[in-house]
Amino acid sequence: MTKMPKDMIDVLIVGAGFAGLRALYTLRKEGLNCRVIEASDEVGGVWNYNRYPGARCDVESYDYSYGFSKELEQEWRWTERYAQQSEILDYIRHVADKFELRKDIEFSTRLESATYNEAAANWTVTTSRGGPITARFVVMAVGQLSKPKKPDFPGEAHFQGEVYHSALWPRHPVDFIGKRVGIIGTGSSGVQMTPVIAEKAAHLCVFQRTANYSIPACHAHISDAEDAAIKADYPARREQARNSPSGLGFIPNKKSLLEDPPDVREQVLERAWNRLGFGFALAYHDILLNEEANDRVVEFVHRKIAEKVHDPVVREKLTPRGFPFGAMRPSVDHRFYEAFNRDNVELVDIKEHPIVEFTANGIRTKAGEYPLDMIIFATGFDVFTGSILAPAIIGRGGVTLREKWSDGPANYLGLSTTGFPNLFIMVGPGSPSLLSNVLVSTEDHADFIRDMITDMNARDLDEVEARPDAEQKWVQHVNERSQETLYPKARSYYMGDEVPGKPHVFMPYSGGVRGYRRILHKVMENQWEGFDMRKVNAPD
Ligand code: N01
């Protein structure tokens, strides 16, 4: 192996969330000299920031966890089917402590720039604390939902009350008692916080621009017997998750929805609706593939909403129309629709009457002023690429990643992008990412990066780069797979529509985590097919 200068590290990992910690654990175990930089003063990534009331994961706890350590699996006791934010954060902290990860993490350190040195095959990195750090490899583990989006409304500075963002929630308790609260946004964050805040606030206005679909979470506490049963056969559960298309463990019904007569279909959907959370979308294999099948599901969910919301005008406004069920990421809720039957909850339709401005006392829409003591932005994120493109990443020939991705995040396998050698991206665009239980691909990516670097070291190579033809083919493949689905039929963050001016391309890989892992294995078996690996530094 090329001898490293003293001040150089093997791998700089950006981010200490689930992905960064897994990469650190795995790469360090191979004897690589790794350092993590983390902008916050704590581990946890999104689970450290999204502390809003009602925040939970909508993947089941036993699956939204690491599978790399049997001891960890056995010792951690999840208390609920869908863990609350605080419990997930406790879990991540426990992992960081158990495996002594903190000693290699520089907290309160934000990546500012990374510049590739072509002659030396390494990266020079600067951070908010200065630098430079020189690293052979950089792993971007910055998350897909980590750059909060806060729209600018005129007059915001004049508002006299409290203002919060779901993804920048303070650590101190926020008191809603007796207050008039406004929530802008009805994505997963808005949907989760609405019923919780409704129980405390004097009055709650939910400002909705687009009604989206929401599936009941069916929360449940985990009994000791259930915990023991899962732990007795955890490997089987992991295998099922890894081999399910979504990584959630649901094996899709092999039947088409259209094969079943209406009464049977109704029973199947009803069972899935009442038990499966996200698995509802897999009650038949073609719900997200076939428009006619999807239309039947739309009718079913519309009926469910109608059963829950008493007021016909509010009901109609909460009923999503104009795009297939699931094409925009559905929420998983706990009594969201029911919250609108309360006297203190008001739905404000800002599609019909958009927000004009914030005033000293509240929000003025085209329909009038809503007096508020507190405004909460639940307006989401610059998804997939926001955090990757925030720092200046400068590759071959001085080209920035922002320039290269100006028409969309072209990449190979979601892991690598031509012109930026020795840079890996974890669970970002081009990988199953947000279309799946992201923990499954996180572990796959960490292992893939480990195997690649280990092999390069064994062969005394120092540079790896995605080949342009492989990248082009992968981009085409990602697009083709998305065209088999109904996802492109909605305006959504899957398509880059959440930020004005962002390229309108399908971002994640819709071929499923199992199929994706097979592709990774094939690439590996074929001597890293699609990658060029080189020796750049002269041997000593
Ligand atoms: O963000 P979103 P989120 N004026 O983008 C509205 C994950 N997550 O934070 O659709 C007015 O989904 C916007 O309206 P529209 C999960 O993957 C997981 O809720 O653009 N409104 C929309 O209603 C999720 O999908 C969990 O018309 C504006 C909302 O704000 C992802 O995070 C929990 C606006 C944004 O919804 C993001 O969820 C929470 C504007 N200018 C989140 N701009 C769990 O695991 C935006 N909106 C349970």
Side-chain angles (χ1 to χ4, degrees), residues 365-434:
T365 74
K366 286 202 165 158
E369 188 175 7
Y370 295 82
L372 300 167
D373 303 304
M374 182 191 296
I375 296 174
I376 300 170
F377 285 81
T379 45
F381 304 85
D382 180 351
V383 186
F384 288 112
T385 52
S387 288
I388 302 172
L389 295 178
I393 298 186
I394 304 158
R396 264 190 210 293
V399 175
T400 65
L401 190 56
R402 187 168 278 281
E403 286 163 346
K404 177 171 176 195
W405 281 6
S406 58
D407 292 331
N411 63 70
Y412 178 45
L413 303 172
L415 271 161
S416 175
T417 184
T418 308
F420 297 80
N422 294 9
L423 177 85
F424 297 107
I425 298 161
M426 290 184 77
V427 283
S431 75
S433 189
L434 297 179

Side-chain angles (χ1 to χ4, degrees), residues 288-399:
L288 290 166
L289 304 177
N290 178 308
E291 252 178 311
E292 202 185 329
N294 196 283
D295 285 347
R296 300 290 87 77
V297 174
V298 164
E299 287 161 15
F300 177 89
V301 182
H302 283 187
R303 261 187 286 126
K304 289 291 172 196
I305 297 171
E307 283 165 18
K308 291 182 189 198
V309 183
H310 301 162
D311 183 298
V313 177
V314 177
R315 180 191 307 155
E316 177 51 31
K317 287 184 189 302
L318 285 168
T319 303
R321 298 201 189 274
F323 57 93
F325 165 84
M328 192 192 279
R329 204 271 204 187
S331 301
V332 177
D333 72 276
H334 184 60
R335 302 184 65 76
F336 169 69
Y337 293 113
E338 292 84 341
F340 293 91
N341 297 331
R342 298 174 64 105
D343 290 340
N344 69 332
V345 178
E346 184 177 359
L347 184 71
V348 183
D349 181 348
I350 52 170
K351 181 160 264 169
E352 196 180 351
H353 301 295
I355 293 175
V356 177
E357 60 175 350
F358 283 24
T359 63
N361 301 316
I363 290 180
R364 188 193 309 285
T365 74
K366 286 202 165 158
E369 188 175 7
Y370 295 82
L372 300 167
D373 303 304
M374 182 191 296
I375 296 174
I376 300 170
F377 285 81
T379 45
F381 304 85
D382 180 351
V383 186
F384 288 112
T385 52
S387 288
I388 302 172
L389 295 178
I393 298 186
I394 304 158
R396 264 190 210 293
V399 175

Side-chain angles (χ1 to χ4, degrees), residues 90-116:
D90 285 347
Y91 171 79
I92 306 176
R93 284 189 184 129
H94 172 74
V95 171
D97 294 336
K98 180 179 174 70
F99 299 103
E100 297 179 14
L101 300 177
R102 290 179 194 270
K103 65 179 188 221
D104 290 314
I105 305 174
E106 259 179 50
F107 289 101
S108 306
T109 305
R110 187 176 285 282
L111 176 65
E112 287 192 341
S113 72
T115 307
Y116 190 64

Side-chain angles (χ1 to χ4, degrees), residues 47 50 52 55-59 145 149 151-153 165-166 184-192 207-210 212 328-330 332 350-351 355 378-381 383 434 491 493 497-498:
W47 298 105
N50 288 260
Y52 59 83
R56 282 177 190 269
C57 186
D58 47 20
V59 175
L145 297 162
K149 189 184 79 172
D152 284 329
F153 292 108
H165 192 294
S166 55
I184 306 173
T186 50
S188 296
S189 305
V191 160
Q192 284 189 329
F207 294 85
Q208 172 186 269
R209 188 165 67 178
T210 307
N212 191 11
M328 192 192 279
R329 204 271 204 187
V332 177
I350 52 170
K351 181 160 264 169
I355 293 175
T379 45
F381 304 85
V383 186
L434 297 179
R491 286 186 59 75
Y493 64 61
D497 295 324
E498 80 287 10

